[in-house]
Amino acid sequence: MTLESSASPLIFGGAAQSPRAALPTLPPLALYIHIPWCVRKCPYCDFNSHTAAPVLPEEEYVDALLADLDQDLHAVYGRELSSIFFGGGTPSLFSAEALGRLLKGVEQRIAFASDIEITLEANPGTFEQEKFVAYRKLGINRLSIGIQSFQEEKLKALGRIHNGDEAVRAAGMARQAGFDNFNLDLMHGLPDQSLDDALDDLRQAIALKPTHLSWYQLTLEPNTVFWNQPPTLPEDDTLWDIQEAGQALLAEHGYAQYEVSAYAQPGRAARHNLNYWSFGDFIGIGAGAHGKLSHPDGRIVRTWKTRLPKDYLNPAKSFQAGEKTLTNEELPFEFLMNALRLTEGVESRLYPQRTGLTLESFAEGRREAEQSGLLQVEPSRLAATMRGQLFLNDLLQKFLT
């Protein structure tokens, strides 16, 4: 897109827009790296993950990731990386050698912040002590371990490849490998789960002393086995009891809720997540990865990469599958869809800083949300009320145009 004059209407997504101010400063920049292979696809999973062959194409995939990154370097604009997140799939299937070559290649292209947070997702079934010691030596300083449950029958129902004992050992091995900052992923609302079952899982997770807990309800997503063959899930009253009792238990043990499903010890909120929810920028590389990139002229562009690993690795095909420049009308919803997931919301001034628009661009929706008791009446802050957090979709509907 060519900007002929800052006073001319801008063209975003094919429609004439009112002029949008250039961004005063660009948001912090993060990097998301998608590793799309798993030992086995779980029946509830709607992420872009694929069953791994006996030998993974590590070298070819790292080459492709760095070539993909090269094509996004134009959007760095001199910024350094505040965080890197290896997601999947199961990134811990890759060797330390492969991840080391990748991280070295990334740092040669984009400077790392001195306190950069580098997170690797891992599953207990892929834990190997020597491998995780090597990961830590590479500079990876945070793990996110996919536990989901400690109970055998629940793990079987979820199609997980590990057992409860392996989950406990994984947390211990993470600490022994030098990771003093790690997250445990835990689900509730599992097939035939009772309140006591859910709280037992949560107590076991807390006993392992993670610095962060992602505790979220199982939902049935389209294009999954569970969607087509639904298991018997707890009744709504039981789900509500689990949510209330679980939140109280987490608070009692010093885990503060800072996002819909994220709880952390003081100072241990995931910086990568905070950047995402506060409408920061992130480059997404890897099969099916998504990105969000701001430009000094005011454009904010969402990108997505080729989904299938075989296509991503095909030199005849483009890494990027598509992009969309957000319109002025879309920005209030896009911004608030992220910011209002944070329990404390964000400062109001962040909206013009991150979008180039004034707060008046969603003033009517804000008034309606406040009058409905869904949004806090606080001029200097954009934050959902307790009721708004429970009915977040209803709250966001106020900002759809």
Side-chain angles (χ1 to χ4, degrees):
M1 180 184 70
T2 301
L3 300 182
E4 295 183 358
S5 166
S6 59
S8 301
L10 305 185
I11 305 298
F12 293 100
Q17 304 291 312
S18 302
R20 185 156 79 226
L23 299 179
T25 58
L26 291 176
L29 182 66
L31 175 65
Y32 175 78
I33 302 171
H34 192 74
I35 310 290
W37 292 284
C38 285
V39 174
R40 184 171 63 199
K41 180 83 170 178
C42 296
Y44 59 85
C45 178
D46 69 335
F47 295 145
N48 184 33
S49 59
H50 306 266
T51 301
V55 178
L56 290 173
E58 287 189 339
E59 185 172 350
E60 297 89 337
Y61 197 70
V62 169
D63 288 342
L65 287 169
L66 293 173
D68 187 359
L69 179 59
D70 284 337
Q71 295 185 7
D72 284 337
L73 292 180
H74 68 279
V76 173
Y77 297 110
R79 289 175 288 180
E80 59 185 18
L81 287 176
S82 60
S83 65
I84 298 174
F85 194 101
F86 289 93
T90 308
S92 54
L93 291 177
F94 267 37
S95 67
E97 291 76 17
L99 296 186
R101 185 164 75 87
L102 175 56
L103 283 172
K104 182 178 180 180
V106 172
E107 191 169 16
Q108 288 171 344
R109 290 160 170 82
I110 313 177
F112 287 8
S114 59
D115 61 346
I116 189 171
E117 174 192 88
I118 305 179
T119 301
L120 178 84
E121 285 188 338
N123 286 332
T126 65
F127 259 75
E128 300 172 24
Q129 185 67 28
E130 289 185 6
K131 181 192 282 190
F132 282 83
V133 169
Y135 286 158
R136 186 66 189 90
K137 289 179 179 177
L138 295 177
I140 296 170
N141 51 24
R142 185 174 181 273
L143 290 179
S144 182
I145 307 171
I147 300 293
Q148 314 314 351
S149 177
F150 294 91
Q151 298 166 30
E152 300 303 315
E153 69 277 11
K154 298 297 186 286
L155 289 168
K156 287 179 181 177
L158 293 173
R160 304 295 288 176
I161 63 170
H162 68 274
N163 59 41
D165 289 341
E166 286 176 314
V168 172
R169 285 199 298 271
M173 283 195 287
R175 194 172 280 108
Q176 290 170 17
F179 290 95
D180 61 356
N181 188 15
F182 66 93
N183 168 66
L184 297 182
D185 260 5
L186 200 66
M187 284 185 177
H188 60 87
L190 304 181
D192 299 313
Q193 188 178 49
S194 67
L195 172 61
D196 287 342
D197 288 339
L199 293 182
D200 282 348
D201 266 348
L202 200 49
R203 289 190 187 97
Q204 287 192 64
I206 291 169
L208 297 174
K209 297 182 170 23
T211 50
H212 190 285
L213 270 162
S214 296
W215 188 61
Y216 51 94
Q217 183 180 321
L218 171 65
T219 56
L220 305 185
E221 301 292 346
N223 303 314
T224 65
V225 173
F226 274 4
W227 181 263
N228 295 313
Q229 303 170 32
T232 302
L233 299 182
E235 299 290 335
D236 287 346
D237 287 348
T238 301
L239 292 173
W240 180 252
D241 291 344
I242 290 172
Q243 186 73 32
E244 281 199 314
Q247 287 179 325
L249 183 63
L250 286 161
E252 177 187 337
H253 286 85
Y255 292 91
Q257 183 180 15
Y258 69 93
E259 189 264 339
V260 170
S261 58
Y263 303 77
Q265 292 178 344
R268 293 298 197 169
R271 277 185 278 154
H272 190 87
N273 293 1
L274 286 174
N275 183 58
Y276 184 90
W277 300 126
S278 59
F279 216 54
D281 277 1
F282 54 99
I283 295 172
I285 60 173
H290 286 242
K292 177 251 171 185
L293 297 167
S294 303
H295 298 268
D297 60 14
R299 287 177 300 126
I300 298 174
V301 182
R302 291 204 179 276
T303 64
W304 54 97
K305 302 299 172 67
T306 298
R307 183 176 176 83
L308 293 177
K310 67 179 181 63
D311 292 335
Y312 186 81
L313 290 169
N314 184 345
K317 293 183 179 290
S318 172
F319 293 122
Q320 185 154 303
E323 69 173 46
K324 174 180 172 54
T325 301
L326 299 177
T327 67
N328 290 6
E329 287 74 18
E330 291 169 325
L331 274 170
F333 179 83
E334 288 276 339
F335 178 90
L336 294 166
M337 176 178 63
N338 292 282
L340 294 181
R341 287 184 63 96
L342 295 169
T343 54
E344 295 185 1
V346 297
E347 293 183 6
S348 297
R349 61 186 174 86
L350 193 66
Y351 178 75
Q353 289 175 2
R354 297 284 161 90
T355 67
L357 297 173
T358 67
L359 289 166
E360 283 301 308
S361 63
F362 62 81
E364 183 178 348
R366 185 176 189 173
R367 281 191 294 271
E368 289 182 8
E370 290 173 348
Q371 290 167 3
S372 301
L374 300 172
L375 194 70
Q376 293 182 23
V377 182
E378 190 175 345
S380 65
R381 195 154 201 87
L382 295 166
T385 61
M386 288 293 292
R387 184 166 178 267
Q389 291 173 25
L390 292 173
F391 300 99
L392 190 56
N393 286 339
D394 293 338
L395 170 53
L396 292 172
Q397 288 294 318
K398 306 291 185 185
F399 302 98
L400 279 175
T401 56

